[in-house]
Amino acid sequence: MRKKDNLLRGDRTPAYVDRETGAAELLISTDTWDQWVKEGRLPPPCDTFPSGTPRWRWEDVDRKLAGKKAADTDAAILGAANFGKKKGIRRDAA
């Protein structure tokens, strides 16, 4: 399937893609997609989907191609993850 042929989605890339959609998004063949996964250039499919219907989280694919690690997330996300956690020792008010 080519990206332009998917009229239901329009210009939006879905959150999870199959190999055909992912390959079309990157303008590569499905064989190249499979090779890149095998080489580690693309992440492995998510383990939450059945093995017969592998899906990749597009955010992970994009992050991997950009050379970022999972820890290289947006500052707002990191701030939200740390919200309410104590930092250091707090002094009692006098």
Side-chain angles (χ1 to χ4, degrees):
M1 175 188 317
R2 296 189 182 274
K3 183 178 176 181
K4 66 179 183 173
D5 296 335
N6 190 345
L7 300 177
L8 296 175
R9 188 176 75 238
D11 290 337
R12 181 184 67 80
T13 302
Y16 292 88
V17 297
D18 59 10
R19 62 191 278 269
E20 290 82 10
T21 304
E25 190 70 28
L26 297 177
L27 302 175
I28 60 174
S29 70
T30 53
D31 289 338
T32 300
W33 176 275
D34 294 340
Q35 185 63 36
W36 286 9
V37 170
K38 185 177 177 181
E39 294 171 354
R41 195 177 297 195
L42 292 176
C46 296
D47 58 1
T48 54
F49 287 91
S51 61
T53 55
R55 297 289 184 270
W56 286 259
R57 192 168 74 145
W58 186 254
E59 182 180 334
D60 295 339
V61 171
D62 187 45
R63 182 181 294 122
K64 182 78 170 180
L65 290 173
K68 296 180 181 177
K69 296 183 178 98
D72 297 339
T73 53
D74 186 86
I77 293 173
L78 290 175
N82 291 324
F83 182 77
K85 292 182 179 177
K86 293 181 181 180
K87 295 181 180 179
I89 299 172
R90 301 176 92 190
R91 293 190 222 173
D92 292 328

